[in-house]
Every structure is written in structure tokens, then in C-alpha cells.
Amino acid sequence: MIEDIRDAAPGEPASPGGDKKGPGSARDKADEPLAAEEDAGAANDPAVAFAAETASAERLAPAAEPDYKDRWLRAEAEIQNTRRRAVRDREESVRAAEERILLDMVEVLDDLERALAAMPQEPGAGSSAWAQGVALTAQRLRDALARRGVTPIATVGEPFDPAYHEALLEVEAPKGIRPGAVVQEVQKGYARDNRALRAARVVVARH
């Protein structure tokens, strides 16, 4: 203890642990201006100030309530759209399947009409009964197609309509046919619900 007092500088109290650096030492006093400068620089830094303000605003701002009504309306609208798309897709699938069957019926009718057109015109008992059977079958097919909305497309003398007619050839307009009208029907066409089921193949008068 006496040695500690002897080693202490005059005018300075001796530290209990023999350390000459007390709370009022020269080194601590020299470090105080540096710490003050660092604190002042941090306070003047715009990034640091902005971060501090943002953190303070986040702490003070109340949490936003989710808009459940808006979410519910959006979900309901999406469900309705999905239902409408499903109904439309189902209707289109059914329509496509029906039209494939109707086209098969039309092709059978074509064969029957070609058979009737190629039939000899001489009257005879056997040929007459056979012709009547083919004609009756063809008429029943026409009636079945008509019940399902399938009707023949008008061609000769009608203006050419690309929605219902398929032009195979253009010729000079004959007498009584105006330019741009159908001159001859090569293959009969059929329509269903104001739409071509099978376009008619025609010859058109040149303009």
C-alpha cells in the first residue's frame, strides 16, 4: 500500500489496483473528442437519419387491416368466370360431337342422291320399287337433318358468300346470271344455326 502511494504522481490519487489510469486519466480525456465527433457525424448522415425515421414510423404506424370484402368479391367473380367458361366449353364440345354425326348423315344422303341420279329412267316394276325405297330413305334422312336444324344452302343465282360457298372455278357470266353470282353447284352444302355445316362447292361468274 505504501509503495502504491509512493509511485503515484504528485497531485494524482493512487488507484486501488495500482493502475495509473483512473477515470480522469489523460487518455480518456483525449478519446472524448473523437467519440463526440463520431456521434455528430452519424447524426448528420442522411442515410442514418432516414433509417431512424423509417424505423420510428414503422413502430408507430398501426398494421393495415386486410380488405376481406374486396378479396371475397374478387374470388366470387373468378368463380363465376370459371363456371361460364366450363359451360361454354361443354356446349362447344357437345356441338362439335353433334356436327360430326350430322356430317356423316350428310355424306350418306349424298350417296343416296347420287344413286337416284344414276338410276335408269326406263319404267319397270323392279326398278321402280327399288327407286322408291332409295328415295324414301333419302327423304327420311333429309327430315332427320331438318329436325336438327340442318338445311341445304341456296347456291345457283345467289351472290357468292365465302361464309357458305367454296369457289372452285370462275367463268364468264352466262346470260341471266349477274357477275359475282353462283353459276353452278358442284357439291351441295348444308347450314346449321346460321353457320355452314359444310360449305357448298360452286362455280362463280367472273366480275
Side-chain angles (χ1 to χ4, degrees), residues 123-204:
S127 61
S128 176
W130 184 86
Q132 289 177 2
V134 174
L136 179 60
T137 304
Q139 186 58 43
R140 293 193 65 179
L141 270 177
R142 294 190 193 98
D143 294 341
L145 291 170
R147 286 195 299 269
R148 288 158 180 80
V150 180
T151 56
I153 296 173
T155 54
V156 178
E158 297 292 330
F160 176 77
D161 186 350
Y164 294 97
H165 303 146
E166 179 183 350
L168 300 180
L169 185 65
E170 278 189 344
V171 298
E172 294 296 331
K175 186 178 181 180
I177 300 294
R178 60 184 180 275
V182 176
V183 176
Q184 179 184 355
E185 180 182 83
V186 178
Q187 185 183 46
K188 186 178 291 186
Y190 292 88
R192 186 190 186 205
D193 298 336
N194 299 321
R195 190 173 69 174
L197 178 65
R198 186 183 72 181
R201 295 184 175 183
V202 299
V203 177
V204 184

Side-chain angles (χ1 to χ4, degrees), residues 25-57:
S25 64
R27 182 174 298 178
D28 292 339
K29 292 180 181 179
D31 291 342
E32 288 178 359
L34 296 177
E37 291 179 1
E38 290 177 358
D39 294 340
N44 295 329
D45 190 350
V48 174
F50 178 76
E53 292 176 0
T54 302
S56 176

Side-chain angles (χ1 to χ4, degrees), residues 61-67:
E65 285 289 336
D67 192 347

Side-chain angles (χ1 to χ4, degrees), residues 1-15 17-20:
M1 182 68 179
I2 297 173
E3 293 177 357
D4 292 339
I5 296 172
R6 186 183 304 151
D7 291 337
E12 292 182 359
S15 61
D19 190 358
K20 297 181 181 180

